Amino acid sequence: MLSPHRPRKKKKAAVTTPSNTAQSLVILDPITMEIAPAFPLVSFLWPARKPTSQWIVLPLILMVVGLFRWVIGFWGYSGYQDPPMYGDFEAQRHWMEITTQLPISKWYFFDLEYWGLDYPPLTAYHSWLLGKIGFWIQPRWFTLGTSRGIEEQLLKVYMRATVLVSEYIFYIPAAILFNRKITKLGGATPWESWVALAAVLLQPATILIDHAHFQYNTIMLGLVLASMTSVLANRYLWSCIFFVGALCFKQMALYFAPAMFAYLVGICLIPRPNVLRFVSVSLVTILSFTVIFAPLLLGSLYESNKNSKLLNSLEPPPTLRSLPLHIDTTSWYYPLVLQLAQSIYRVFPFARGILEDKVANFWGCVHTIHKLNLYPIPMLQRISMLATFISILPTCMTISLFPRKELLPWAMASSAWGFFLFSFQVHEKSVLLPLLPMTVLLGTEGGLATETRAWIGWANILGVWTLFPLLKRDELRVPYAVLTLLWTYLLGIPPVSWSLYTPRQTELAAPTKLLHLAFYMAMLIWHVLDEFVTPPAGKPDLWVVINTLIGAAGFGICLLWCSWQLILRSGLMEDYFGVRIRLEQLEKVDVKEKKALKKSQ
């Protein structure tokens, strides 16, 4: 008896000629009339233009980007041999010993003058896990009271490894999945997808801050990417869960919150109100916050019931003391209120002032001319809130009226730039947030074309350049130069390649060329001055201040460009001008009819 099974037909090999979407990756040699790579990163992935298994290309990309991340860790880190406070490396290590050596109720109260915990609970849980593993390896690394400022080489290896492993758990998979979804949405080829992914994972600013300076920003950024990926997959409840996770790991994820909120509101109202979706999104968001805060709150409640004297040793935060309501300190719920109020007070440190060091944003520029610390903090809070609201209002209105998936990265980038420029208590490292959605735009339709690549490349170089004063203090000049020049070489942008800005290049408008070239030249001249010219005796921070002013101007342009691109791509301008044209035509017809009527009379 013959088997009913029929062998599957072999698929025909795909044509290797670049598709319409992949034309931005190749150029036509006028002499040989053969296609060639448009920029060096395409050259490295040139074999992948043919049908190639992802299990060959993807591991190669991940090995290369992982190698750069690990090697960069051989250099110093924030606060190395710099007592008494040291730096971010010591802060992260200290949080690991706090969370493993103290009761959970004391995590947000212990020794606030020396790197007190000031991130949301998910960071605390992450520190607890890494501290437990590290204590098992070598207890003296995380022995409270005796390990302060410890700088053993094996500890450095362990801490560097925790950043790398955390990134490969959270950030790398999220970047891969988002890149795959967004390229398919734009009709891009797998080849374009690999090129865009390699460019995103080699972004210099993120590598330098997390793997050289030392932080865990990529966990938060990975959760944001996971939330955006869930939106692209129409899994809105998962998007809420991942975004709440990002907020509960680092509060800076609030930079993206208005755009994400506006988008979710838009899909609940347009094209018709969807009450079930709105209720589901709201409940899942509240439930996610509850689940993440539950261990902290319930643990504190359990410990206070077990030890009644514990509450007497915990001083309530000023925000709780200033409440007009009377809260009974002997009630069963007081430990919950105390712990929640203290964690919020630590996460949002308004008392520190509007500025944290010299930051390339609007307030940093104003402070250079007129000292903002002369004004009361509450007034500065209100002003910064109003300025931030005004800067992100067009973005939020556009994405809520036109809630399309492909517009979400543009809205997230615009919202983050608005927060970075105008919000309260901004760090220079927060520039990583707007750079993330802007860089992943390389995977969108036309993202690797000349214009978009030029803008994204320019924004990234400007961003990492504003981080140079911070990296210089950490003795990270060489990693900064190597990674930045490597990335510019791979993407074919200045200062390594100026081909995008030659007169023969007609895809970039002349004003754009002049603008970018002016900033590139300013950055190069600044580096020369910073390296070889000593600032005047009365102005030791002159070069840092100039860096701040130039950076803030460039970031303001980034905000305008992202907002304008969002509005253009939404179709809002087409609809507006279309209506205006129709109205003008109707008015002309009406005038002609009136004239004809007068003549007939």
Side-chain angles (χ1 to χ4, degrees), residues 29 54 183 219 353 424 435 447 506 586:
D29 192 320
Q54 65 173 340
T183 50
I219 297 178
F424 196 87
L435 288 180
T506 57
L586 290 173

Side-chain angles (χ1 to χ4, degrees), residues 261-299:
F261 174 78
Y263 178 84
L264 292 174
V265 169
I267 62 171
C268 291
L269 297 178
I270 297 174
R272 62 185 65 86
N274 191 329
V275 178
L276 179 61
R277 177 180 289 172
F278 180 80
V279 172
S280 301
V281 165
S282 303
L283 290 178
V284 167
T285 300
I286 296 171
L287 183 62
S288 299
F289 276 111
T290 304
V291 169
I292 292 175
F293 273 85
L296 176 68
L297 300 180
L298 295 179

